[in-house]
Amino acid sequence: MDTIRTAPGAVDLVLFADLFDAHAADIVTRLNEEDAETAAAVLAHLPLERAIDVFDRPELARAGDLLIDLPHERAGEILKGMADDRAADVLRALDDEDRSELLKRVDFDSAWPLKRLLAYPEGTAGSLMSTEFVSVPATYTVAETLRHIRDVERTRETVYAIHALDPKTRALLRVVTLRELIIGEPEQPILDLAPDREPITVRADVDREEVARLISIHDLLSVPVVNERQQMLGIVTVDDVIDAILAEGSEDVQKFGGVEGTTEPYLGTGFFSMYRKRVGWLGVLFISEMLTASAMQHFENELEKAVVLTLFIPLIMSSGGNSGSQATSLLIRALALGQLRLRDWWRVALRELPVGVALGASLGVIGMVRIAAWQGLGIFDYGPHWELIGLTVGVGLIGIVTFGSLAGSMLPFLLKRLGFDPASASAPFVATLVDVTGLIIYFSVALLILRGTLL
């Protein structure tokens, strides 16, 4: 086995001998654990078909960078052999200079469909679609269609759906499944096998979430992408949708935790990249939390008179933040699945209001029982007005949890209305918002209940 020389060291292929006969998914897993130079060196020596299979896997990290690191001719062969939609995804992750450099390594016929896919905004049906689909004139018979499938099978992403086009306008007329085709008679026109209804299609600018919804409710393996004249542009397959939704889900989870979304594996993310993706939100949240200090300064006199109130500030703040985060997570998911629309905000508010009151009352009772128990058992002395302190905590929790539920449920609607991703309503952001208002509610309730006694 050869040794591959790379700067600054060398890669011994003997260490990777087992990969040459491994499944593409196993190769991807192993290469994701290696540095970029080692991964590129191994890919350079894999059989071409196996290397193409590896690059066709969405799980392969740094795919674009690895292509750049490969020899000029090798990179062009791999890019040409990849599925168009996957190749476009890889190129889209690169900067303009690297993208142009890779496109120069393939011929015009291979570069043209990639450039067309790259023209569509990320996250749309056009950016997900494959141009490698099976289509035949609507005048074809079953025998002619089967013969065509045998001729083009190796160059198509899927043959499970056959698209019957108008011979003159090339507009999509019907979609015939492979199963329907097989059971037909050889001389039977394929239009006789198609369902007597217009095929389900999407436009290229439709959001991928809408594509996923259509595929889900209609149990489709793929959905055609058409232009305004119903002419076929490509297809979006169910596996492409799953990969896209999983990637988007991962980014949403990261955003919800207060981290800039990333598709890179954790261990594959560099120090400065990790710092950059986390410092922004931390800075915003830190500045926002300064408002909490300002709120406490505003009630400085009350705190001096009733120091015992400070014991319950962490309890109050965490309860409001937790209720807000719960509501936010539920609403983000409902909006993503299409269960709610912007016009439903008032229905959500009417629903969250009594739920928030009930949740707050439940926590308030627990808090009051805890204060009474500690006072009665002699664990802690809250003073002669402990009953009023317990009532303050209980009523305060009702107001804070109710506000947290309302704020957490309305924030995703507000962000979506402003054109932002609802997932940006991160849990830390909601918690910070409720912290400030929670203190104001808590001390306002204390002023009302404890006036004339402790205050």
Side-chain angles (χ1 to χ4, degrees):
M1 199 58 81
D2 295 332
T3 298
I4 307 171
R5 294 292 171 183
T6 59
V11 177
D12 189 354
L13 278 183
V14 173
L15 300 176
F16 301 92
D18 58 319
L19 293 186
F20 284 75
D21 296 319
H23 189 279
D26 297 326
I27 299 176
V28 168
T29 301
R30 177 73 177 278
L31 294 183
N32 283 345
E33 299 172 353
E34 304 292 338
D35 60 73
E37 289 180 343
T38 301
V42 173
L43 287 166
H45 283 70
L46 281 176
L48 179 60
E49 290 299 322
R50 182 60 56 85
I52 292 173
D53 289 341
V54 170
F55 273 98
D56 266 333
R57 307 286 299 193
E59 300 84 6
L60 180 65
R62 309 160 298 178
D65 294 331
L66 293 176
L67 271 178
I68 289 290
D69 291 341
L70 289 174
H72 189 285
E73 184 177 351
R74 176 74 166 184
E77 291 174 340
I78 291 176
L79 191 62
K80 183 177 180 180
M82 292 172 63
D84 286 347
D85 53 341
R86 170 58 182 162
D89 287 340
V90 171
L91 293 172
R92 190 176 284 109
L94 297 173
D95 57 39
D96 293 340
E97 183 178 350
D98 287 340
R99 188 183 306 125
S100 299
E101 171 60 27
L102 282 177
L103 286 172
K104 291 177 183 177
R105 303 185 186 184
V106 296
D107 55 67
F108 174 82
D109 290 338
S110 299
W112 182 79
L114 296 179
K115 291 180 179 179
R116 190 175 68 170
L117 291 175
L118 290 169
Y120 295 107
E122 187 174 2
T124 61
S127 69
L128 294 177
M129 73 179 181
S130 170
T131 56
E132 299 160 337
F133 57 89
V134 178
S135 64
V136 296
T139 55
Y140 266 32
T141 63
V142 170
E144 290 174 318
T145 304
L146 288 173
R147 189 180 307 113
H148 176 72
I149 292 175
R150 284 192 291 269
D151 291 339
V152 302
E153 183 272 332
R154 290 186 176 275
T155 62
R156 298 296 184 264
E157 180 162 342
T158 177
V159 297
Y160 299 128
I162 296 89
H163 306 86
L165 310 182
D166 186 294
K168 294 182 179 180
T169 65
R170 296 193 57 79
L172 178 64
L173 300 180
R174 292 290 186 271
V175 177
V176 181
T177 66
L178 185 61
R179 180 179 181 179
E180 292 167 338
L181 188 67
I182 291 174
I183 63 176
E185 296 296 330
E187 300 305 319
Q188 190 175 9
I190 59 168
L191 285 184
D192 290 353
L193 305 174
D196 189 20
R197 60 176 181 272
E198 293 291 326
I200 298 167
T201 61
V202 295
R203 294 291 179 88
D205 58 353
V206 169
D207 189 85
R208 62 186 175 187
E209 292 181 358
E210 175 63 14
V211 179
R213 188 186 70 84
L214 288 174
I215 287 179
S216 175
I217 64 177
H218 294 289
D219 293 327
L220 302 174
L221 292 176
S222 64
V223 60
V225 182
V226 299
N227 60 19
E228 63 278 1
R229 296 187 297 275
Q230 280 297 106
Q231 294 171 324
M232 286 279 296
L233 300 176
I235 59 171
V236 178
T237 58
V238 64
D239 59 314
D240 292 330
V241 169
I242 291 174
D243 291 336
I245 295 301
L246 286 175
E248 182 175 16
S250 297
E251 291 186 18
D252 287 349
V253 170
Q254 292 163 351
K255 290 178 181 178
F256 195 66
V259 179
E260 182 183 334
T262 176
T263 57
E264 291 292 324
Y266 177 82
L267 294 178
T269 304
F271 171 82
F272 290 104
S273 178
M274 182 69 73
Y275 171 82
R276 178 178 56 80
K277 292 179 182 298
R278 296 171 66 172
V279 70
W281 265 112
L282 280 179
V284 171
L285 295 174
F286 179 75
I287 294 173
S288 301
E289 284 288 3
M290 290 181 180
L291 298 175
T292 303
S294 300
M296 294 185 68
Q297 290 170 5
H298 180 75
F299 293 101
E300 182 180 1
N301 293 332
E302 287 75 13
L303 286 173
E304 290 178 353
K305 296 177 183 178
V307 179
V308 69
L309 292 177
T310 62
L311 299 175
F312 302 99
I313 288 178
L315 172 73
I316 293 292
M317 294 171 66
S318 63
S319 297
N322 290 340
S323 66
S325 298
Q326 280 186 339
T328 300
S329 61
L330 291 173
L331 266 296
I332 288 175
R333 185 62 176 165
L335 287 170
L337 294 176
Q339 299 170 351
L340 292 171
R341 302 193 182 279
L342 284 177
R343 62 175 178 267
D344 296 323
W345 68 268
W346 64 272
R347 297 173 59 189
V348 173
L350 291 178
R351 185 182 182 86
E352 285 296 320
L353 183 60
V355 171
V357 171
L359 291 173
S362 299
L363 297 183
V365 169
I366 295 174
M368 294 171 67
V369 169
R370 190 265 193 194
I371 292 174
W374 259 238
Q375 184 73 25
L377 295 173
I379 297 176
F380 190 87
D381 184 11
Y382 293 103
H385 303 291
W386 64 269
E387 299 98 333
L388 294 179
I389 293 174
L391 183 61
T392 299
V393 172
V395 175
L397 279 169
I398 293 176
I400 292 165
V401 172
T402 301
F403 176 81
S405 297
L406 280 174
S409 61
M410 293 296 103
L411 189 57
F413 282 106
L414 177 61
L415 289 173
K416 189 167 185 178
R417 180 65 181 84
L418 295 175
F420 295 104
D421 185 354
S424 299
S426 67
F429 181 77
V430 174
T432 301
L433 173 65
V434 179
D435 283 351
V436 179
T437 54
L439 282 174
I440 297 174
I441 293 173
Y442 177 48
F443 285 113
S444 298
V445 171
L447 283 173
L448 290 174
I449 297 178
L450 298 176
R451 187 181 301 276
T453 54
L454 292 179
L455 301 178

mmCIF file of all heavy atoms in Angstrom, residues 199-214:
data_model
loop_
_atom_site.group_PDB
_atom_site.id
_atom_site.type_symbol
_atom_site.label_atom_id
_atom_site.label_comp_id
_atom_site.label_asym_id
_atom_site.label_seq_id
_atom_site.Cartn_x
_atom_site.Cartn_y
_atom_site.Cartn_z
ATOM 1 N N PRO A 199 -51.428 16.229 -11.650
ATOM 2 C CA PRO A 199 -50.364 15.844 -10.712
ATOM 3 C C PRO A 199 -50.089 16.943 -9.688
ATOM 4 O O PRO A 199 -50.301 18.128 -9.958
ATOM 5 C CB PRO A 199 -49.157 15.622 -11.630
ATOM 6 C CG PRO A 199 -49.430 16.424 -12.851
ATOM 7 C CD PRO A 199 -50.925 16.402 -13.023
ATOM 8 N N ILE A 200 -49.644 16.544 -8.529
ATOM 9 C CA ILE A 200 -49.269 17.493 -7.471
ATOM 10 C C ILE A 200 -47.890 18.049 -7.811
ATOM 11 O O ILE A 200 -46.925 17.297 -7.984
ATOM 12 C CB ILE A 200 -49.261 16.799 -6.099
ATOM 13 C CG1 ILE A 200 -50.669 16.302 -5.771
ATOM 14 C CG2 ILE A 200 -48.744 17.733 -5.013
ATOM 15 C CD1 ILE A 200 -50.718 15.349 -4.610
ATOM 16 N N THR A 201 -47.795 19.361 -7.901
ATOM 17 C CA THR A 201 -46.536 20.003 -8.280
ATOM 18 C C THR A 201 -46.249 21.180 -7.344
ATOM 19 O O THR A 201 -47.124 21.621 -6.597
ATOM 20 C CB THR A 201 -46.583 20.519 -9.726
ATOM 21 O OG1 THR A 201 -47.639 21.496 -9.838
ATOM 22 C CG2 THR A 201 -46.852 19.379 -10.699
ATOM 23 N N VAL A 202 -45.026 21.678 -7.422
ATOM 24 C CA VAL A 202 -44.658 22.887 -6.681
ATOM 25 C C VAL A 202 -43.854 23.792 -7.599
ATOM 26 O O VAL A 202 -43.269 23.336 -8.586
ATOM 27 C CB VAL A 202 -43.818 22.566 -5.423
ATOM 28 C CG1 VAL A 202 -44.638 21.767 -4.418
ATOM 29 C CG2 VAL A 202 -42.536 21.825 -5.777
ATOM 30 N N ARG A 203 -43.826 25.060 -7.281
ATOM 31 C CA ARG A 203 -42.989 26.014 -7.995
ATOM 32 C C ARG A 203 -41.593 26.020 -7.375
ATOM 33 O O ARG A 203 -41.413 25.640 -6.219
ATOM 34 C CB ARG A 203 -43.596 27.413 -7.938
ATOM 35 C CG ARG A 203 -44.923 27.529 -8.683
ATOM 36 C CD ARG A 203 -44.721 27.403 -10.178
ATOM 37 N NE ARG A 203 -45.968 27.496 -10.902
ATOM 38 C CZ ARG A 203 -46.497 28.638 -11.317
ATOM 39 N NH1 ARG A 203 -45.880 29.779 -11.065
ATOM 40 N NH2 ARG A 203 -47.637 28.637 -11.976
ATOM 41 N N ALA A 204 -40.642 26.509 -8.105
ATOM 42 C CA ALA A 204 -39.251 26.465 -7.652
ATOM 43 C C ALA A 204 -38.999 27.344 -6.436
ATOM 44 O O ALA A 204 -38.080 27.081 -5.657
ATOM 45 C CB ALA A 204 -38.323 26.878 -8.786
ATOM 46 N N ASP A 205 -39.817 28.393 -6.243
ATOM 47 C CA ASP A 205 -39.577 29.309 -5.133
ATOM 48 C C ASP A 205 -40.333 28.936 -3.864
ATOM 49 O O ASP A 205 -40.288 29.662 -2.863
ATOM 50 C CB ASP A 205 -39.948 30.738 -5.539
ATOM 51 C CG ASP A 205 -41.401 30.846 -5.990
ATOM 52 O OD1 ASP A 205 -42.074 29.808 -6.117
ATOM 53 O OD2 ASP A 205 -41.860 31.993 -6.235
ATOM 54 N N VAL A 206 -41.006 27.778 -3.858
ATOM 55 C CA VAL A 206 -41.750 27.331 -2.673
ATOM 56 C C VAL A 206 -40.771 26.900 -1.583
ATOM 57 O O VAL A 206 -39.746 26.279 -1.857
ATOM 58 C CB VAL A 206 -42.700 26.171 -3.053
ATOM 59 C CG1 VAL A 206 -43.270 25.507 -1.805
ATOM 60 C CG2 VAL A 206 -43.828 26.694 -3.927
ATOM 61 N N ASP A 207 -41.097 27.224 -0.342
ATOM 62 C CA ASP A 207 -40.241 26.864 0.787
ATOM 63 C C ASP A 207 -40.201 25.355 0.984
ATOM 64 O O ASP A 207 -41.186 24.660 0.719
ATOM 65 C CB ASP A 207 -40.761 27.530 2.066
ATOM 66 C CG ASP A 207 -39.796 27.367 3.220
ATOM 67 O OD1 ASP A 207 -38.866 28.182 3.343
ATOM 68 O OD2 ASP A 207 -39.959 26.402 4.002
ATOM 69 N N ARG A 208 -39.064 24.849 1.434
ATOM 70 C CA ARG A 208 -38.898 23.404 1.582
ATOM 71 C C ARG A 208 -39.854 22.813 2.607
ATOM 72 O O ARG A 208 -40.193 21.631 2.526
ATOM 73 C CB ARG A 208 -37.455 23.080 1.970
ATOM 74 C CG ARG A 208 -36.989 23.665 3.293
ATOM 75 C CD ARG A 208 -35.514 23.388 3.481
ATOM 76 N NE ARG A 208 -34.985 24.036 4.679
ATOM 77 C CZ ARG A 208 -33.685 24.051 4.988
ATOM 78 N NH1 ARG A 208 -32.812 23.474 4.193
ATOM 79 N NH2 ARG A 208 -33.255 24.658 6.071
ATOM 80 N N GLU A 209 -40.308 23.620 3.564
ATOM 81 C CA GLU A 209 -41.268 23.108 4.534
ATOM 82 C C GLU A 209 -42.600 22.781 3.865
ATOM 83 O O GLU A 209 -43.272 21.815 4.234
ATOM 84 C CB GLU A 209 -41.458 24.115 5.664
ATOM 85 C CG GLU A 209 -40.226 24.272 6.547
ATOM 86 C CD GLU A 209 -40.447 25.255 7.666
ATOM 87 O OE1 GLU A 209 -41.554 25.844 7.728
ATOM 88 O OE2 GLU A 209 -39.533 25.446 8.489
ATOM 89 N N GLU A 210 -42.994 23.583 2.875
ATOM 90 C CA GLU A 210 -44.220 23.307 2.132
ATOM 91 C C GLU A 210 -44.053 22.049 1.284
ATOM 92 O O GLU A 210 -44.984 21.237 1.160
ATOM 93 C CB GLU A 210 -44.569 24.505 1.244
ATOM 94 C CG GLU A 210 -45.768 24.292 0.324
ATOM 95 C CD GLU A 210 -47.063 24.058 1.081
ATOM 96 O OE1 GLU A 210 -47.123 24.317 2.291
ATOM 97 O OE2 GLU A 210 -48.025 23.579 0.444
ATOM 98 N N VAL A 211 -42.861 21.870 0.699
ATOM 99 C CA VAL A 211 -42.585 20.649 -0.059
ATOM 100 C C VAL A 211 -42.688 19.429 0.853
ATOM 101 O O VAL A 211 -43.287 18.409 0.489
ATOM 102 C CB VAL A 211 -41.179 20.708 -0.700
ATOM 103 C CG1 VAL A 211 -40.892 19.427 -1.477
ATOM 104 C CG2 VAL A 211 -41.065 21.915 -1.617
ATOM 105 N N ALA A 212 -42.113 19.525 2.040
ATOM 106 C CA ALA A 212 -42.165 18.416 2.996
ATOM 107 C C ALA A 212 -43.608 18.113 3.388
ATOM 108 O O ALA A 212 -43.993 16.947 3.531
ATOM 109 C CB ALA A 212 -41.346 18.755 4.235
ATOM 110 N N ARG A 213 -44.412 19.156 3.557
ATOM 111 C CA ARG A 213 -45.820 18.957 3.922
ATOM 112 C C ARG A 213 -46.575 18.223 2.821
ATOM 113 O O ARG A 213 -47.343 17.288 3.095
ATOM 114 C CB ARG A 213 -46.472 20.314 4.199
ATOM 115 C CG ARG A 213 -47.879 20.217 4.775
ATOM 116 C CD ARG A 213 -48.508 21.597 4.885
ATOM 117 N NE ARG A 213 -48.809 22.146 3.572
ATOM 118 C CZ ARG A 213 -49.917 21.860 2.894
ATOM 119 N NH1 ARG A 213 -50.824 21.041 3.405
ATOM 120 N NH2 ARG A 213 -50.128 22.393 1.708
ATOM 121 N N LEU A 214 -46.358 18.606 1.566
ATOM 122 C CA LEU A 214 -47.043 17.952 0.441
ATOM 123 C C LEU A 214 -46.631 16.489 0.320
ATOM 124 O O LEU A 214 -47.473 15.605 0.113
ATOM 125 C CB LEU A 214 -46.740 18.681 -0.861
ATOM 126 C CG LEU A 214 -47.395 20.051 -1.050
ATOM 127 C CD1 LEU A 214 -46.882 20.708 -2.318
ATOM 128 C CD2 LEU A 214 -48.907 19.905 -1.085
#
